[in-house]
Amino acid sequence: MAQIEKKEQKEQEVSMQGAVMRELIARFTSDHLIGKKFKNGEFRKKMTEPPWNVPDGFDLTELQMEEFKMEWLMPKQHHSDKAILQLHGGGYIGKMRNIYRNFAVEYSGLGNGMPVLTIDYRVAPENPYPAALEDAICAYQWLIEKGYDGEHIFLAGDSAGGGLALALVMYLKNHGKQLPCGIIAMSPWTDLTASGESYQTNFDKDPLFGGTKDSMLYNREYLGLEDPRNPYISPLFGDFTGFPPMLIQVGSYEMLLSDSKLTAKKAKEQGVKVRLHVYEGMFHVFQMAMQHMPESRYAWKEIGKFLELLGESEI
């Protein structure tokens, strides 16, 4: 049976499209738009998007829970008995956006028609920890009650959503609940103490968060009065023993690079099957480029292979 590589894949040269995209992002954020304006709420409150059109071949059901909303994307022709729970990024202060609806479509296609549950969990500063985790637990339980046992549920998340996915598994494990069968984490935010070396070494390289400490990476809105080393906030400080296989993707230019590397190292040492892929020259959640950039195309292809391998009897 195929086996997921435990070693980090050799880094490749960045593509011309990737370098151009990285430069455009750096110029766009040169006034710290993603820093000050997002941190103080101006950016996230004023951001508006056009209505999202459900692609042909899919049905979308909006679900109103007691504290938050969810969206259930179901392919009209699906052959999979598994489902994906997607947890979006945004530094725990940004709400769900259309890009994650596009992600859901991509995940579904790569998963041979898996339905995707995307949750618009509560965010800070209005709702600090543990609101996001509570909503993730509620969404996971919804899937269980719908008939998907843990062996048939994947978790997928980017940035804060990637960290939240790991925190969710820690909670489930610590409370004797069924664990999911796999985790896909794009640039997961696993250390809210910002203690990894890449917070310094990539400080002037990161096109999205670099050059300032007035950004989402240093905001404490989600923490409230909690200890940032709480594993349900910063999973890096938790115990990964017993975790399902993980695919972690991250860019070499990210300030969050250490979050991925240290998490992968610790999880491997505790017996978890992990594939860590550091994409040379890439920026935070470069997968948002979808099919418009070689690195992003390859990243999504890698995700599809991960989903495929986990369908086999041996990983």
Side-chain angles (χ1 to χ4, degrees):
M1 294 292 181
Q3 184 169 0
I4 296 173
E5 298 177 9
K6 287 190 176 183
K7 63 181 179 180
E8 178 181 325
Q9 180 169 324
K10 183 179 180 180
E11 295 184 353
Q12 301 175 351
E13 292 184 1
V14 63
S15 70
M16 180 178 295
Q17 296 99 315
V20 170
M21 183 73 75
R22 187 181 67 211
E23 178 63 22
L24 288 174
I25 290 174
R27 292 186 180 184
F28 178 71
T29 60
S30 61
D31 65 347
H32 306 317
L33 175 63
I34 304 298
K36 293 181 180 179
K37 292 185 178 181
F38 210 115
K39 184 177 178 181
N40 67 21
E42 178 183 347
F43 185 71
R44 66 189 182 96
K45 291 179 180 178
K46 290 186 177 181
M47 181 186 289
T48 58
E49 294 183 303
W52 188 75
N53 296 319
V54 181
D56 293 339
F58 290 90
D59 290 318
L60 182 68
T61 303
E62 296 183 355
L63 304 166
Q64 180 63 61
M65 310 301 283
E66 183 176 351
E67 299 285 355
F68 65 102
K69 295 180 181 179
M70 307 192 301
E71 294 184 1
W72 181 237
L73 185 75
M74 172 69 75
K76 293 180 179 179
Q77 300 291 331
H78 73 283
H79 309 286
S80 176
D81 60 352
K82 294 181 171 63
I84 297 175
L85 172 57
Q86 179 182 202
L87 303 170
H88 70 80
Y92 294 110
I93 58 177
K95 300 291 286 182
M96 201 255 287
R97 300 295 178 184
N98 282 345
I99 186 62
Y100 296 109
R101 298 181 175 98
N102 296 336
F103 274 25
V105 173
E106 194 74 13
Y107 281 128
S108 181
L110 293 171
N112 192 32
M114 291 184 194
V116 180
L117 181 65
T118 305
I119 73 171
D120 193 11
Y121 55 83
R122 290 170 291 164
V123 296
E126 296 84 2
N127 296 283
Y129 173 86
L133 179 58
E134 289 175 345
D135 294 349
I137 295 167
C138 180
Y140 188 83
Q141 183 60 34
W142 185 89
L143 285 173
I144 295 293
E145 293 174 357
K146 196 171 179 64
Y148 295 93
D149 60 32
E151 294 182 355
H152 292 81
I153 300 174
F154 286 95
L155 298 186
D158 70 290
S159 192
L164 182 58
L166 297 174
L168 172 59
V169 178
M170 285 198 174
Y171 177 90
L172 295 172
K173 186 189 75 164
N174 293 342
H175 290 79
K177 306 292 185 180
Q178 298 180 37
L179 301 187
C181 62
I183 304 169
I184 299 165
M186 301 175 178
S187 306
W189 194 15
T190 66
D191 177 14
L192 272 67
T193 70
S195 59
E197 67 172 2
S198 60
Y199 284 85
Q200 286 75 47
T201 58
N202 282 348
F203 185 76
D204 294 321
K205 293 172 64 176
D206 190 320
L208 198 61
F209 300 118
T212 178
K213 289 192 175 182
D214 193 15
S215 75
M216 288 189 291
L217 298 189
Y218 295 96
N219 92 80
R220 301 182 64 86
E221 302 288 358
Y222 180 60
L223 290 177
L225 300 177
E226 290 290 326
D227 182 352
R229 293 176 62 90
N230 179 341
Y232 294 154
I233 293 174
S234 297
L236 175 61
F237 301 106
D239 183 357
F240 295 96
T241 305
F243 265 48
M246 297 192 290
L247 169 63
I248 301 176
Q249 299 173 334
V250 66
S252 69
Y253 272 46
E254 295 192 49
M255 290 174 65
L256 288 179
L257 177 60
S258 294
D259 288 44
S260 289
K261 284 189 169 183
L262 294 173
T263 294
K265 180 177 183 294
K266 185 174 184 179
K268 288 178 184 179
E269 291 172 348
Q270 294 176 340
V272 182
K273 295 176 180 178
V274 182
R275 178 180 176 85
L276 169 67
H277 190 161
V278 179
Y279 283 75
E280 177 59 29
M282 285 296 96
F283 44 87
H284 191 60
V285 195
F286 63 92
Q287 297 87 342
M288 286 188 179
M290 305 300 287
Q291 301 301 314
H292 302 298
M293 196 172 69
E295 290 86 354
S296 184
R297 286 197 298 270
Y298 186 87
W300 283 106
K301 182 178 179 181
E302 185 177 39
I303 289 169
K305 188 64 175 178
F306 180 79
L307 293 171
E308 178 185 342
L309 290 176
L310 284 178
E312 300 182 9
S313 57
E314 181 181 347
I315 301 303

